[in-house]
Amino acid sequence: MAQRPYVGRLAPSPTGDLHQGIARTFLAAWLDARAHAGRLLLRIEDLDGPRTVEGAAERIEEDLAWLGLDWDGRSPAQSTRDKAYGRAVEALGARTYPCTCTRREVWAASAPHADGDEAPRYPELCRPSTPGKNGSLHPERPAALRFRTEPGEQVAVRDRRRGDRVDDVHAHPGDFVLRRRDGLWAYQLAVTVDDLESGVSCVVRGEDLWDSAPRQALLRRLLAPEAQPLEWLHLPLALGEDGARLSKRNGARPIREERAQGVSAAELRGRLAAELGLWPHAEPAELDALVEAWRIKLRG
């Protein structure tokens, strides 16, 4: 770890109840902060209003507290951060432009080059030839806002588990969305602004977000050139019986169901810690012991 104050985060999205896969990631984030004698912030990532479930944020907090995962302060919920995200867009200036392409149009223009389910590189349908101009193909439509990448714009990302990577963001994914056509802010911009303003130094999350790290690192570098790069720890995903990412759709049990059936917090912690390679699978786990196990893992 770099010699700077450790600040981590728990960042649940209130689109449903906390389930085992997300709880495992939050346990790792909590252990990492405690093992480094750092601070841990709670941030409710409720960007997507239409998918937010009423009362889910409160239930998630209750489940985290039941597991023993506390926090040292709060970052403002993302639904309250419209002005902050707007200021960031203003700071990016001519690096942004309106885009009226639909997803279908993007895929159609990229079809010969698309690789399976991977999102294609944006084919620059609305990208203006002159920065700061409007090149939208369909000015009568609602517009998204894209970030204008530049050729050869390389970004280095260091992950404590996966190692180093250097990406040319212009080569892929190309110009990416900062605000959607429906007016909702994109994850890449929001988390970057929030992490900067909250002083987050280390992010522990699932490796499904690994490919988004270069975009966030680039925005961070442009919005706050003086800020140190984030440190990352991308964890292997919890998998369901079908081998796919564990989710509510493929068998992830809500923590509330475990509680209702009499499972103790120590028993569930032990199971989650076993999946992280910290603990014998059948044994309940106290938090102090898990913090020490995580410290040993860090030293190893």
Side-chain angles (χ1 to χ4, degrees), residues 119-156:
R121 180 185 183 277
Y122 177 64
E124 302 183 2
L125 299 176
C126 288
R127 178 176 169 129
S129 57
T130 303
K133 300 296 183 180
N134 187 342
S136 297
L137 292 179
H138 303 281
E140 74 282 0
R141 295 178 181 172
L145 191 68
R146 284 190 183 270
F147 175 78
R148 181 188 183 103
T149 59
E150 299 296 346
E153 193 153 46
Q154 294 191 335
V155 183

Side-chain angles (χ1 to χ4, degrees), residues 153-171:
E153 193 153 46
Q154 294 191 335
V155 183
V157 174
R158 170 162 292 182
D159 183 88
R160 283 161 43 196
R161 174 179 154 266
R162 299 189 58 137
D164 297 344
R165 69 184 285 178
V166 178
D167 282 48
D168 184 334
V169 181
H170 180 71

Side-chain angles (χ1 to χ4, degrees), residues 168-186:
D168 184 334
V169 181
H170 180 71
H172 195 276
D175 298 354
F176 55 91
V177 172
L178 300 177
R179 190 181 63 223
R180 295 172 8 185
R181 293 177 67 212
D182 59 8
L184 298 179
W185 295 102

Side-chain angles (χ1 to χ4, degrees), residues 237-250:
L237 297 180
L239 302 180
E241 293 181 359
D242 57 0
R245 174 189 175 186
L246 191 63
S247 68
K248 291 186 287 291
R249 285 176 292 186
N250 71 344

Side-chain angles (χ1 to χ4, degrees), residues 11-32:
S13 297
T15 56
D17 288 336
L18 183 68
H19 65 72
Q20 298 167 44
I22 302 300
R24 190 190 72 164
T25 300
F26 287 168
L27 174 62
W30 188 90
L31 291 172
D32 201 55

